[in-house]
Amino acid sequence: RTSISAFDPTFEYAVVNQKNDLYLFQAQGNTVRQLTHDPNAAESVPSLSPDGKFVAFVRDNNIWVVNCESTEVRQMTKDGAPE
């Protein structure tokens, strides 16, 4: 299942969730970049930074951030718990 999850303020970029991974779609140039690479870990609630350089998202009840250029993923919290 594919869903568009977030847009930047200019609507030039969109974050797309496809098979539990996040992708960055750039409208101008019609390019797609895979941001996350773990189909066994579901990512949700993605939010694109205003400058379009980072995407924050939730994985395993924790906040993560991925760099849109390098696709480096960093875990920001480690104590997330289900509600």
Side-chain angles (χ1 to χ4, degrees):
R1 181 173 169 239
T2 302
S3 63
I4 297 176
S5 303
F7 289 98
D8 77 315
T10 65
F11 292 95
E12 181 179 349
Y13 296 96
V15 178
V16 176
N17 193 320
Q18 167 79 24
K19 296 182 181 175
N20 289 337
D21 281 319
L22 298 177
Y23 295 79
L24 183 68
F25 174 76
Q26 183 178 7
Q28 189 167 353
N30 200 23
T31 60
V32 177
R33 174 183 293 243
Q34 187 172 357
L35 299 177
T36 59
H37 300 81
D38 189 349
N40 297 319
E43 286 109 15
S44 62
V45 200
S47 179
L48 189 60
S49 66
D51 62 7
K53 294 182 180 181
F54 300 93
V55 173
F57 59 93
V58 175
R59 178 195 286 163
D60 298 326
N61 299 312
N62 285 292
I63 298 172
W64 296 70
V65 174
V66 61
N67 181 308
C68 293
E69 183 65 30
S70 69
T71 69
E72 177 185 356
V73 178
R74 293 186 331 206
Q75 186 173 359
M76 306 306 287
T77 63
K78 295 182 189 266
D79 58 353
E83 292 183 53

